[in-house]
Amino acid sequence: MNAKGGQDTSRALLSGWISRADLAQELEVTEGTLRRWTLERWGPPCIRAGRKIYYRRSAVIEWLEDQEAADLRRARRGARR
C-alpha cells in the first residue's frame, strides 16, 4: 500500500517476477553464476528491463522441475555405462 491507500504500483507490476539478486539468494548461487548460465543459454529464462534482469517466478519453478526430472532420468539409466 502506498501513502494514499492504493496498492504500490511497482510491486503489483512485478509481483510475478524476481530479480537476479533475489533469485541468486534463493538458489544459493552467485549473481555471476546466473549471468554465466544466461550466456551459456542454460538456467531459467530471463528478461532485461533497462539495466535490471528479471525472471518469471513460474518459469523458474518450471526450470527447477525440469532439472529434477532430468536427474531422475539419469538415475534410472545408472551412473555408469
Side-chain angles (χ1 to χ4, degrees):
M1 294 285 213
N2 63 22
K4 295 180 182 179
Q7 192 172 21
D8 185 1
T9 307
S10 63
R11 288 195 183 260
L13 181 65
L14 297 175
S15 65
W17 298 84
I18 186 169
S19 70
R20 178 175 273 164
D22 291 340
L23 182 59
Q25 187 175 0
E26 286 289 320
L27 295 178
E28 297 182 3
V29 299
T30 65
E31 289 183 58
T33 295
L34 292 176
R35 240 181 254 106
R36 182 173 41 85
W37 288 355
T38 299
L39 291 172
E40 294 173 355
R41 296 182 184 262
W42 196 77
C46 62
I47 59 123
R48 179 181 300 275
R51 292 184 177 189
K52 297 280 276 183
I53 301 294
Y54 293 100
Y55 298 82
R56 186 184 304 269
R57 291 177 184 275
S58 60
V60 172
I61 292 168
E62 184 177 320
W63 176 77
L64 288 169
E65 289 170 346
D66 290 346
Q67 300 315 298
E68 179 183 40
D71 282 348
L72 290 174
R73 286 191 300 271
R74 281 192 292 271
R76 286 189 200 125
R77 283 188 273 165
R80 297 184 181 190
R81 286 204 162 216

